[in-house]
Amino acid sequence: MLTTVIIGIMVFIQFLLLCLFVIILYLLARGIFGVPFVRSNKPFSRAMMELAEVKPGETVVDYGSGDGAIVIVAAKEFGAKGIGFEYLRILVAYAKALAMFAGVSKQVEFRRENFLSGATLPKADVVSSYLFPEVNAKLEPLLIRDYPSGTRVVSRTFLFPTLPLKASKKVGKETVYLYQIP
Ligand SMILES: C[S@@+](CC[C@H](N)C(=O)[O-])C[C@H]1O[C@@H](n2cnc3c(N)ncnc32)[C@H](O)[C@@H]1O
């Protein structure tokens, strides 16, 4: 009887490890072919929202929202509404759970969507991104197409090719950039 229980537990643990392995493999593969998931911790998210001077009631849209770190800080600490675009289903689910634990579920929304797929972008006062320069370069014409002049765009570390730069701020060894839609 005891042996059966021990074998059962071992099989279950092996099953969990296999699931974990498959998830890691999947994330790595997406990392190789696209922008890998690296989260902006609270000091980074906060610095980005401060640089963009996010005010209560404004809408922040994070393109490539990962686990929702930026959107959640925008909602919880700045009183903003937030929308995150993320194509990895698992990260969207995780972001929703984190938003719930942070008590900001009603202020935020996470869309499992490729923001480069051509759909009209949602209204925003502030756009945020932490994406590779080549992805910023693809996103830039969509931002210029859909957002009115003056919309703030804040980017961690990576530059946008032609948007006019308004300000920048050092955060640790990295820089956060603030642009405006012309
Ligand atoms: C470096 S992470 C940044 C996550 C989050 N913005 C943060 O700063 O904590 C970039 C995220 O963008 C997502 N991503 C990259 N390209 C995307 C696309 N075209 N559509 C939706 N999500 C995308 C990746 O899956 C990844 O989770």
Side-chain angles (χ1 to χ4, degrees), residues 35-40 62-67 69-70 85-88 91 113-116 130-131 135 156:
V35 183
F37 166 57
V38 181
R39 82 192 298 271
S40 296
D62 187 26
Y63 289 101
S65 50
D67 69 356
I70 292 176
F85 279 81
E86 172 57 57
Y87 53 25
L88 292 183
L91 288 176
E113 220 175 299
N114 180 346
F115 54 76
L116 298 177
Y130 179 27
L131 300 163
V135 183
R156 175 175 165 185

Side-chain angles (χ1 to χ4, degrees), residues 1 11 14 21 33 39 56 87 89 93 105 113 121 125 127 131 140 146 149 177 179:
M1 175 65 183
V11 168
Q14 276 176 2
F21 180 67
F33 297 112
R39 82 192 298 271
Y87 53 25
R89 192 184 296 272
S105 289
E113 220 175 299
L121 307 180
D125 300 290
V127 164
L131 300 163
E140 187 180 271
D146 286 356
S149 171
Y177 301 96
Y179 298 91

Side-chain angles (χ1 to χ4, degrees), residues 49 52 54 58-62 124-128 151-154:
M49 297 302 98
V54 173
E58 287 194 318
T59 301
V60 176
V61 179
D62 187 26
D125 300 290
V126 173
V127 164
S128 65
T151 305
R152 290 105 84 200
V153 178
V154 63

Side-chain angles (χ1 to χ4, degrees), residues 87-99:
Y87 53 25
L88 292 183
R89 192 184 296 272
I90 189 169
L91 288 176
V92 171
Y94 188 42
K96 285 181 181 172
L98 290 180

